[in-house]
Amino acid sequence: MTITEASRKYDISADTLRYYERIGLIPDVPRNKSGIRDYDETSCQWIELMKCMRKAGVQIEALIEYVALFQQGDATNEARKQILIEQREQLIRRMADMQASLERLNQKIDRYEQWAIPGNKKSSCPVQH
Amino acid sequence: MTITEASRKYDISADTLRYYERIGLIPDVPRNKSGIRDYDETSCQWIELMKCMRKAGVQIEALIEYVALFQQGDATNEARKQILIEQREQLIRRMADMQASLERLNQKIDRYEQWAIPGNKKSSCPVQH
DNA sequence: TATTGACTTGGACCCGGCTCCACATGATAT
DNA sequence: ATATCATGTGGAGCCGGGTCCAAGTCAATA
């Protein structure tokens, strides 16, 4: 699969795919005799994994370290697991922050809706902020 | 309340508080005769709100627009509500992405844990990626 | 054989969101 | 009166994460 095809398949620009490889977010992609990238199944799986993680805001640095350890073999399994656990914790914390924000948004939206009910204007519904 | 006190109270640097005011993320803070900021209850509520929203990653641009509309009075209530609704939708989408990522992290961590059980090494638990 | 077009690289640039800095000003302590 | 200290301002710098570009190489087609 060429970079253009992989780009379309995962909806990630070719520039970004090269960038990811350059910084080690995905391992080196196999090349043909002319030096053209030929994305195989393994490369695709890495792309797909990283797309998922990045979409969720997992730090690139942690992912790069994970990939580097992965390439060093089984001896690094425990370290890799620790990275995943740390990132999971951060993810959970961030989701909690978002949940809190979501609840406030809901409250505020409710207040604006109350305000919009005729006869309810100034009386029961002081819209603040 | 001085900027230093507000900074400590909300754990946001004085530079960031000034920056927020400069870009309109919070309305202008009252000043004393010497031009020194004197954060009052209202200012504090804005800070607290924005801290919550920014922690959850709500876009600054949307929040700035919200503040600008707020300062124009009741006529903008509907527009403000629409901003909140849009941001709520984005938040929900991002939380779903994070949930997907969280589930993958959980799976991967499980696999590393299976691998760590003696006798389970190569047989049943191919740790990939 | 010459042109087209996809691909390569390294490096420059951009954007959001702060963060830092230099310099000015005014209140307070010695 | 002078030194200290918090605060003010405008603008530069930084960082993460891409995004864009120029110049070169190769394969396929006219």
Side-chain angles (χ1 to χ4, degrees), chain A residues 2 4 18 22 31 35 37:
Chain A
T2 68
T4 305
R18 285 189 208 98
R22 208 149 68 190
R31 310 291 182 110
R37 288 176 181 79

Side-chain angles (χ1 to χ4, degrees), chain A residues 2 13 36 39 42 44 46 50 52 54-55 58 62-63 65 70-71 73-75 80 90-91 94 103 107 109 122:
Chain A
T2 68
S13 79
I36 306 290
Y39 291 83
T42 300
C44 286
W46 281 107
M50 293 310 176
C52 174
R54 289 298 304 133
K55 219 169 143 187
V58 174
L63 297 170
E65 194 180 346
F70 183 88
Q71 294 180 306
D74 282 356
R80 277 138 70 187
Q90 291 192 21
L91 206 47
R94 288 192 291 119
E103 282 160 18
Q107 280 175 28
I109 290 166
K122 322 232 143 172

Side-chain angles (χ1 to χ4, degrees), chain B residues 50-69:
Chain B
M50 294 308 176
K51 180 180 179 176
C52 175
M53 294 296 145
R54 288 298 304 133
K55 222 170 141 186
V58 174
Q59 305 158 356
I60 277 193
E61 270 310 307
L63 297 170
I64 289 173
E65 194 179 347
Y66 181 85
V67 172
L69 290 172

Side-chain angles (χ1 to χ4, degrees), chain A residues 65-77 80:
Chain A
E65 194 180 346
Y66 181 84
V67 171
L69 289 172
F70 183 88
Q71 294 180 306
Q72 293 167 40
D74 282 356
T76 66
N77 273 8
R80 277 138 70 187

Side-chain angles (χ1 to χ4, degrees), chain B residues 13-127:
Chain B
S13 79
D15 270 322
T16 298
L17 288 176
R18 286 189 209 99
Y19 167 70
Y20 280 176
E21 187 175 348
R22 210 151 67 191
I23 65 175
L25 183 63
I26 59 174
D28 286 352
V29 173
R31 309 289 182 112
N32 67 17
K33 338 74 201 153
S34 329
I36 305 290
R37 289 175 180 82
D38 182 12
Y39 291 82
D40 60 6
E41 186 55 29
T42 301
S43 297
C44 285
Q45 284 169 8
W46 280 107
I47 292 172
E48 200 272 315
L49 175 64
M50 294 308 176
K51 180 180 179 176
C52 175
M53 294 296 145
R54 288 298 304 133
K55 222 170 141 186
V58 174
Q59 305 158 356
I60 277 193
E61 270 310 307
L63 297 170
I64 289 173
E65 194 179 347
Y66 181 85
V67 172
L69 290 172
F70 183 89
Q71 294 180 306
Q72 293 168 39
D74 281 357
T76 66
N77 273 7
E78 186 58 27
R80 276 138 71 189
K81 188 176 109 184
Q82 288 312 316
I83 291 177
L84 300 183
I85 287 173
E86 166 63 19
Q87 295 308 309
R88 175 172 64 179
E89 282 167 7
Q90 291 191 22
L91 206 47
I92 289 169
R93 277 197 291 277
R94 287 193 292 119
M95 286 176 80
D97 289 340
M98 293 170 82
Q99 186 60 43
S101 182
L102 181 56
E103 281 160 19
R104 288 191 75 157
L105 283 174
N106 280 333
Q107 280 175 27
K108 283 186 169 304
I109 291 166
D110 281 353
R111 284 203 277 104
Y112 280 105
E113 277 168 355
Q114 286 307 312
W115 182 91
I117 294 169
N120 227 356
K121 302 279 166 184
K122 321 235 142 167
S123 51
S124 57
C125 267
V127 172

